[in-house]
Amino acid sequence: MKGMADAAGISHGAIKRINLFPELIRASCSIIGAWGPATANTGLLQVRALDWDDSAPMSKYPLVSVYHYTDDEKAQPYANFAWAGVVGSLAGFSTNVGISEKFRGPDHRNDSSWNGEPWMYVLRDVLQYGTDLESGIGIMWDAMKTWKIYVGLGATSDNVFRGIEYGHDGLIIFDDKNFTTPNATVHPKMDGVVYWDKHDKQPSNDPCLGASLEAGYGSLTPEYLFRNSTAMLMTGDTLLAVYDF
């Protein structure tokens, strides 16, 4: 960050504040993970849709940064989807894992703190060092976490996806059998599918995303998720990525 500040002719503090901005706003977002019987080729697909403000100044400067490390044998190549000046991760895909994130509204756990490592930095560590579900979840467990969010984590070697309730006090891991609790009527369960829509309270009462995934179940493709599922819910106005593992 110091190098970017010097090159741009702005203060180091300004760059730091840009990177801490997501800690304050925690924008509404949607997460989808689909694999096995749900997808057309039984592979893993993942969606990260950011709903915030497509007219915000930073939206004029989108940036895909691809990292290849030569001085760290444990680091793996990954792509970070963000904006100029942002070094943390709110969306990204490595050679082994993909991450998604969404806002967590008021719920059964008030587990947030301003003391710790910002979640965007923790998720960047997952991209940089996570090689599968176990190691990616382990990085989140070991971090001194700050604000509560939802995280989506997919892994190539596992060919599955997990939803994670992330907070200062710990993690709760969700799979395709329990992510809808307690609202299974509006959010139908399907083998090989985990999804949380853009609404604050999860599961919400909005049937759109579940209905779209049911309609395409067994033949889900990146194009279907992009053109149908996210479009029907009107999610991803600021950033939309579909990861095809």
Side-chain angles (χ1 to χ4, degrees):
M1 286 189 281
K2 180 68 164 59
M4 286 192 292
D6 291 345
I10 60 177
S11 70
H12 189 194
I15 290 289
K16 284 184 176 180
R17 288 191 290 273
I18 289 172
N19 279 274
L20 290 174
F21 188 56
E23 286 279 306
L24 300 175
I25 60 168
R26 296 177 296 279
S28 298
C29 308
S30 301
I31 294 174
I32 303 171
W35 67 93
T39 61
N41 64 357
T42 71
L44 173 62
L45 300 174
Q46 182 174 341
V47 172
R48 197 282 190 244
L50 170 61
D51 298 286
W52 179 48
D53 182 0
D54 59 0
S55 64
M58 64 189 303
S59 295
K60 299 177 182 179
Y61 308 101
L63 182 67
V64 177
S65 302
V66 180
Y67 293 85
H68 290 270
Y69 293 88
T70 58
D71 57 351
D72 187 344
E73 293 181 355
K74 294 182 179 180
Q76 58 195 354
Y78 66 92
N80 198 41
F81 309 124
W83 301 272
V86 175
V87 299
S89 298
L90 48 72
F93 186 79
S94 80
T95 51
N96 292 301
V97 299
I99 55 110
S100 307
E101 177 272 338
K102 79 169 258 76
F103 171 72
R104 243 183 81 203
D107 58 17
H108 62 106
R109 298 169 63 212
N110 187 26
D111 53 338
S112 294
S113 172
W114 294 115
N115 298 315
E117 184 178 3
W119 58 260
M120 284 185 65
Y121 297 168
V122 177
L123 296 187
R124 175 177 170 143
D125 287 344
V126 173
L127 288 176
Q128 188 170 348
Y129 297 109
T131 57
D132 53 19
L133 284 178
E134 182 179 5
S135 62
I137 291 171
I139 291 168
M140 288 185 267
W141 268 116
D142 293 341
M144 187 174 179
K145 296 172 282 295
T146 54
W147 209 260
K148 63 180 186 180
I149 56 173
Y150 289 107
V151 177
L153 177 65
T156 303
S157 60
D158 300 284
N159 197 48
V160 295
F161 174 93
R162 291 293 181 262
I164 301 164
E165 194 175 279
Y166 174 111
H168 179 70
D169 297 335
L171 309 174
I172 298 178
I173 313 301
F174 294 94
D175 58 21
D176 53 346
K177 302 298 189 290
N178 66 354
F179 77 97
T180 63
T181 305
N183 200 351
T185 301
V186 176
H187 288 259
K189 293 180 182 177
M190 294 164 269
D191 289 341
V193 178
V194 173
Y195 59 97
W196 287 316
D197 64 29
K198 66 181 182 179
H199 302 291
D200 290 354
K201 187 174 178 58
Q202 293 296 316
S204 73
N205 290 312
D206 190 334
C208 286
L209 187 53
S212 170
L213 294 170
E214 275 194 313
Y217 185 79
S219 58
L220 295 175
T221 63
E223 183 177 9
Y224 182 91
L225 294 174
F226 174 76
R227 293 186 179 276
N228 294 279
S229 299
T230 57
M232 182 180 292
L233 188 63
M234 293 186 290
T235 187
D237 61 1
T238 306
L239 184 153
L240 177 59
V242 182
Y243 314 145
D244 186 352
F245 292 78

